[in-house]
Amino acid sequence: MEGLFAILLLLVLMGLGVPIAWSFAGVLAYLAMAYDANLDTLMMQGFRSVDSVILIALPLFVLTGYLMQSGGIASRLVTFIETLVGKRRGGMGASMVLASGVFGAIAGTATAAVASIGTIMIGPLEQRGYPRGYSSALLGISSLLGILIPPSITMILFAVVTRQSVAALFAATVGPALLLILGLILVNRLAAGRLFQEVAGTAHPPGQAPSKARATWRALPALSLPFIILGGIYGGVFTPTEAAAVAAFAAIVIGFLVYRDQSFQHFTRSIIAAAETTGSIILILLFSFMIGRILAFERVPQDLTQLITTLIQNPLLILIAVNVFLVLAGALLDDVSVTVVVAPLFLPLMVDTGVHPVHFGAIVACSVVIGANSPPVAPILYMACRIGRVSIHKAFSPALQLIAFVGIPVMLITTFVPELSLFLPRQLGFIN
């Protein structure tokens, strides 16, 4: 009962506008009083949990995302992809989806993708006939490819709180990511002929559109980043943490010396923004670790497992119930909260049901994609609407359609076809 009330308290505090980190602190204070926990011991255990080499990758990947935005890397990627596919029906929408995917393969964060890709593409999409509400909805869900395509900050957090291999979790979400990209491109192509009429042409004025060869040449330094990062991780050259350092260093070099769009003023702003984002996440992690210690000591996850297995005995129905709960949690909480608090509660249940922890990580990632764009909270969708300068009400309907026809099917396929998530980690030797 106390565990359920703690989740309700978290929702209330966030609904009142309390910053997420301090909402977690409030929940921790309540649980500490309810269970008469020793805060000194909890604080020591929390700091030990945060003292992780894996977490060093977090600020570095966040910084990489901001440096891509300020250093001209994101704009070159968008121009390159738009030159390749932008002239086809639904091409501009497909360009945004693919650009978000490539961006995610470098930065591993959704918020930076929304700011970078949205700022560059929402205006040109409107010129091609895309309604701003639809463009913002497509931007919101496609930006979450940064969670599915490795490296992923969400999967790093999941690995830390569940003690799983980061590389295995990175590989597990590749299949769902490709499925999501394919689904978004197909649905966008249908929408371009039915929901609105796309104007032929490109986003560039006549005579100013770069040739494919020129756009490719300009984008080569940016395109080299995902190959360096992913090739280095899966080739055994460096660990995910070292890959984050390489990505940040490469983004600095490309921004300052290759594209020369980076300035010391923008660089300073990127560092400050990355520090603020990382600080907030680390505080949430610290408080969530302490909350998790209390809940584990009071056997809340085991009680939850026993309750659900008593009410539902069919493994398939249990998976559906967990899916529904994760989506609802994602619609009310942010992606970090779902990953570090809600997901570990269900991990014992999933293991008892026969779901591999790495497979469960992919399920959680898919649920975050849906929840972050679902009302009432929908943090990524709200951010996309701010970038797109459009009312959230105009984006809700297309967002729900994209979720219904793409997001939920991808989550269900990921849930009930384990090999989609486990095949690549097995082939790479990360799991048995």
Side-chain angles (χ1 to χ4, degrees), residues 147-397:
I147 288 177
L148 294 175
I149 296 179
S152 164
I153 291 174
T154 300
M155 289 296 94
I156 292 174
L157 297 178
F158 186 88
V160 171
V161 298
T162 60
R163 301 294 189 267
Q164 298 299 313
S165 164
V166 176
L169 288 165
F170 279 179
T173 53
V174 171
L178 296 176
L179 205 58
L180 183 65
I181 290 173
L182 180 62
L184 288 174
I185 290 176
L186 291 177
V187 170
N188 174 74
R189 184 176 176 84
L190 293 174
R194 289 173 172 81
L195 298 182
F196 57 90
Q197 292 300 317
E198 184 179 22
V199 179
T202 70
H204 300 276
Q208 295 184 23
S211 64
K212 290 184 179 180
R214 189 176 182 185
T216 303
W217 176 255
R218 288 179 175 177
L220 275 179
L223 290 172
S224 67
L225 279 175
F227 290 102
I228 293 172
I229 296 168
L230 300 180
I233 293 174
Y234 296 125
V237 179
F238 37 67
T239 66
T241 301
E242 293 166 344
V246 171
F249 177 75
I252 293 172
V253 172
I254 292 172
F256 274 112
L257 302 180
V258 180
Y259 293 148
R260 300 183 180 180
D261 286 354
Q262 188 68 273
S263 66
F264 284 103
Q265 184 179 12
H266 291 153
F267 179 69
T268 302
R269 289 177 182 172
S270 297
I271 292 179
I272 293 173
E276 290 174 347
T277 301
T278 304
S280 176
I281 294 176
I282 291 297
L283 273 179
I284 293 172
L285 268 179
L286 174 63
F287 294 140
S288 70
F289 278 130
M290 297 167 70
I291 291 171
R293 289 285 184 178
I294 296 175
L295 296 180
F297 185 77
E298 298 297 332
R299 296 184 57 82
V300 172
Q302 291 83 351
D303 292 342
L304 179 64
T305 299
Q306 185 176 2
L307 174 63
I308 294 178
T309 52
T310 300
L311 297 174
I312 308 173
Q313 270 123 43
N314 190 317
L316 293 180
L317 294 179
I318 291 176
L319 285 173
I320 292 174
V322 171
N323 272 331
V324 171
F325 190 92
L326 287 172
V327 170
L328 292 176
L332 297 171
L333 302 170
D334 64 291
D335 59 315
V336 176
S337 304
V338 173
T339 305
V340 303
V341 176
V342 179
L345 287 176
F346 284 102
L347 185 59
L349 173 63
M350 291 291 94
V351 173
D352 287 348
T353 309
V355 176
H356 195 286
V358 171
H359 178 206
F360 182 53
I363 295 174
V364 170
C366 291
S367 74
V368 168
V369 171
I370 297 172
N373 288 280
S374 301
V377 177
I380 296 298
L381 183 61
Y382 273 102
M383 184 177 179
C385 288
R386 287 199 300 270
I387 296 295
R389 290 175 296 174
V390 66
S391 168
I392 187 69
H393 303 291
K394 294 183 179 180
F396 266 154
S397 178

Side-chain angles (χ1 to χ4, degrees), residues 40-231:
D40 291 337
T41 303
L42 281 175
M43 187 65 71
M44 186 182 302
Q45 292 172 338
F47 274 111
R48 284 177 179 171
S49 298
V50 174
D51 185 18
S52 170
V53 174
I54 296 174
L55 283 178
I56 297 175
L58 178 65
L60 293 171
F61 278 129
V62 172
L63 177 60
T64 301
Y66 285 111
L67 291 175
M68 286 179 64
Q69 181 181 353
S70 61
I73 297 174
S75 61
R76 264 78 171 189
L77 289 174
V78 170
T79 300
F80 166 70
I81 295 173
E82 192 271 334
T83 303
L84 294 181
V85 300
K87 294 182 180 180
R88 299 173 176 82
R89 195 185 89 187
M92 277 295 289
S95 298
M96 183 160 66
V97 174
L98 293 172
S100 298
V102 176
F103 193 99
I106 302 172
T109 175
T111 53
V114 170
S116 300
I117 307 300
T119 302
I120 297 167
M121 296 207 67
I122 292 293
L125 281 166
E126 186 179 31
Q127 295 172 10
R128 288 284 297 270
Y130 286 72
R132 279 188 173 264
Y134 173 83
S135 300
S136 299
L138 183 63
L139 171 65
I141 193 167
S142 62
S143 68
L144 270 297
L145 286 165
I147 288 177
L148 294 175
I149 296 179
S152 164
I153 291 174
T154 300
M155 289 296 94
I156 292 174
L157 297 178
F158 186 88
V160 171
V161 298
T162 60
R163 301 294 189 267
Q164 298 299 313
S165 164
V166 176
L169 288 165
F170 279 179
T173 53
V174 171
L178 296 176
L179 205 58
L180 183 65
I181 290 173
L182 180 62
L184 288 174
I185 290 176
L186 291 177
V187 170
N188 174 74
R189 184 176 176 84
L190 293 174
R194 289 173 172 81
L195 298 182
F196 57 90
Q197 292 300 317
E198 184 179 22
V199 179
T202 70
H204 300 276
Q208 295 184 23
S211 64
K212 290 184 179 180
R214 189 176 182 185
T216 303
W217 176 255
R218 288 179 175 177
L220 275 179
L223 290 172
S224 67
L225 279 175
F227 290 102
I228 293 172
I229 296 168
L230 300 180

